[in-house]
Amino acid sequence: ELQARTIESQNLAAAREADRQRLEEILQGAPIGMTVLEGPDHIYRLSNVAALEHLGRTEDDVLGRPAAEVQPELVSQGIIATLDQVFASGQPFTGRDLLIRHDRSRDGMLEDYYYDVVFQPLVNPAGEVEAILAQSIDVTDRLRARHQFEATLTAMGDAVMVVAPGGTLELTNAAFERFFGPSRTFVPEDELGRPLPDVEWPQRRAAHGESFTMLFTLREPEETRRWYEGSGQPLLINGVQQGGVVVIRDVTDRSLRHLQEQFLAVAGHELRTPLTALSLSIDLAARQVERSGDQRLQQHMVRAAEQTRRLTELAHEIVDVVRLTTATLPIERVPLDLSALTRRVLDTIQVIAGEQPVTLQGDDAPIIISGDARRIEQVLLNLLVNAVTFSGGSGSIEMSLRR
């Protein structure tokens, strides 16, 4: 019977040793740092490969030695005091993004590393703490990448918000607060100031992982309205959708320019109809005046016809402004007599100049060029109108035309 008990005891001891070895193998293969610190001095009894990489040490450097001796720099940083507290109280400690400055490269220089750690007390059957299982994950690269990302966001002029799947704002930048205030909340509206439906809000659409581009407006405290363009993309982490990122740009100036262009285009087209009718009426009236033989009235009709033509040209110029801004202004190059065109422009400008003389220097010989007669006439008229305006009606205005 004694022999049987001895054999049973040996079997149990062997089983416990096998379990211990199996547990040690599991700990050694764990992807996170796993260290067993024994007793109140936190003696290294086991440290797996990942933990040794965190320490920058080998097993021979740490096993059997107190933590404060292996890494004395941890004392002043409060890490050893935290281990003491866990051992004395039996309460675990959890730290996220914990900064630990230590000499991992063993060159005498302390470097900053960040860890997620758990210090878990290990108790014996009597309920007494015998050791601490220290688990560590190096999150330095992740945290540095996040800091770089946040620095990039801070430098951006556009507002950025990272939205979680539930719709909460995970991260915003300084421009976002500048656009929408410290509360970081806003209700997007349409161009008439009506709130958009909840499902159309950029933050809601980002939470659902949509890809979108949208326009919305917000009323400013001074009762002005600003336009914003929001562009959203899903946020994928390891291939799994985890909310979305939205970039919001203030496009008020661009939108106002668009409205101005629309107004100019409509105004230009709408002016053409009454001017065409007016031009026809003046032509009919001029024919009747011509039959009357009244020379003074005929001069008035010629000036009226010329000014009507000028108004028609201005209507065309309004449309040209829109075409210039949209890069659609047509140029029609044909052979033309620059001399005749210039003299025609001078006849028109003389009506505006009144008694102020406007003269052309050069002979009357034709100067044939390839160009757009209407565009050249616009340029010459603008130059001469400016000359008349800024000369104040004094002196003469001279143009010179030569090959």
Side-chain angles (χ1 to χ4, degrees), residues 185-189 195-196 201 203 216-218:
T185 59
F186 63 92
V187 177
E189 301 173 347
L196 297 179
W201 291 13
Q203 52 269 54
F216 63 91
T217 71
L218 290 175

Side-chain angles (χ1 to χ4, degrees), residues 45-123:
R45 291 304 179 198
L46 182 147
S47 193
N48 71 351
V49 174
L52 291 172
E53 288 179 354
H54 296 169
L55 295 171
R57 305 290 192 276
T58 65
E59 280 190 335
D60 293 339
D61 294 328
V62 302
L63 294 186
R65 298 175 60 193
E69 183 181 315
V70 173
Q71 288 189 297
E73 63 268 23
L74 300 185
V75 176
S76 62
Q77 298 177 60
I79 305 301
I80 301 301
T82 301
L83 291 171
D84 291 341
Q85 180 65 27
V86 172
F87 191 87
S89 67
Q91 298 298 316
F93 169 82
T94 300
R96 287 184 56 83
D97 300 338
L98 184 65
L99 171 62
I100 299 179
R101 305 186 73 241
H102 59 114
D103 182 14
R104 182 189 283 189
S105 57
R106 306 186 71 175
D107 59 0
M109 300 294 293
L110 298 182
E111 298 178 86
D112 291 349
Y113 291 92
Y114 294 87
Y115 299 93
D116 288 347
V117 301
V118 176
F119 299 153
Q120 181 68 44
L122 302 177
V123 299

Side-chain angles (χ1 to χ4, degrees), residues 162-324:
V162 179
V163 186
T168 58
L169 294 184
E170 292 286 339
L171 182 66
T172 60
N173 65 346
F176 187 91
E177 184 172 328
R178 190 168 63 251
F179 283 5
F180 308 115
S183 66
R184 305 197 308 169
T185 59
F186 63 92
V187 177
E189 301 173 347
D190 63 17
E191 64 275 10
L192 298 179
R194 297 172 300 195
L196 297 179
D198 288 5
V199 293
E200 296 182 15
W201 291 13
Q203 52 269 54
R204 298 282 195 278
R205 298 177 68 176
H208 295 139
E210 292 185 38
S211 295
F212 64 89
T213 297
M214 62 177 294
L215 286 173
F216 63 91
T217 71
L218 290 175
R219 184 179 296 278
E220 297 290 290
E222 57 271 17
E223 296 301 313
T224 58
R225 184 165 296 280
R226 301 199 68 82
W227 290 72
Y228 297 93
E229 180 184 73
S231 298
Q233 290 294 329
L235 179 62
L236 300 178
I237 299 178
N238 296 325
V240 179
Q241 188 266 322
Q242 297 289 341
V245 180
V246 183
V247 178
I248 301 175
R249 177 170 297 173
D250 188 335
V251 295
T252 303
D253 293 340
R254 189 176 74 188
S255 299
L256 288 177
R257 282 197 301 270
H258 177 65
L259 292 174
Q260 290 170 348
E261 291 168 4
Q262 284 185 320
F263 170 77
L264 289 174
V266 171
H269 287 292
E270 291 298 324
L271 283 172
R272 288 180 180 182
T273 301
L275 286 173
T276 301
L278 178 61
S279 180
L280 290 173
S281 298
I282 290 176
D283 286 344
L284 291 173
R287 292 174 188 174
Q288 294 179 359
V289 169
E290 186 177 359
R291 287 195 294 269
S292 71
D294 188 330
Q295 294 296 321
R296 184 178 179 184
L297 194 55
Q298 286 181 20
Q299 291 178 359
H300 286 309
M301 293 306 300
V302 168
R303 291 180 179 178
E306 185 61 35
Q307 293 307 307
T308 302
R309 188 184 73 83
R310 179 58 186 147
L311 285 174
T312 304
E313 291 296 329
L314 287 173
H316 284 294
E317 290 177 8
I318 290 174
V319 176
D320 288 345
V321 170
V322 179
R323 289 173 174 172
L324 277 171

Side-chain angles (χ1 to χ4, degrees), residues 17-37 44-54 59 63 118 120 122 131-137:
E17 178 61 21
D19 289 341
R20 189 193 68 78
Q21 291 180 356
R22 201 158 37 244
L23 176 60
E24 185 172 336
E25 289 174 0
I26 292 173
L27 293 179
Q28 288 292 351
I32 66 174
M34 305 284 281
T35 299
V36 176
L37 302 170
Y44 277 91
R45 291 304 179 198
L46 182 147
S47 193
N48 71 351
V49 174
L52 291 172
E53 288 179 354
H54 296 169
E59 280 190 335
L63 294 186
V118 176
Q120 181 68 44
L122 302 177
I132 295 174
L133 174 62
Q135 306 166 63
S136 59
I137 302 174

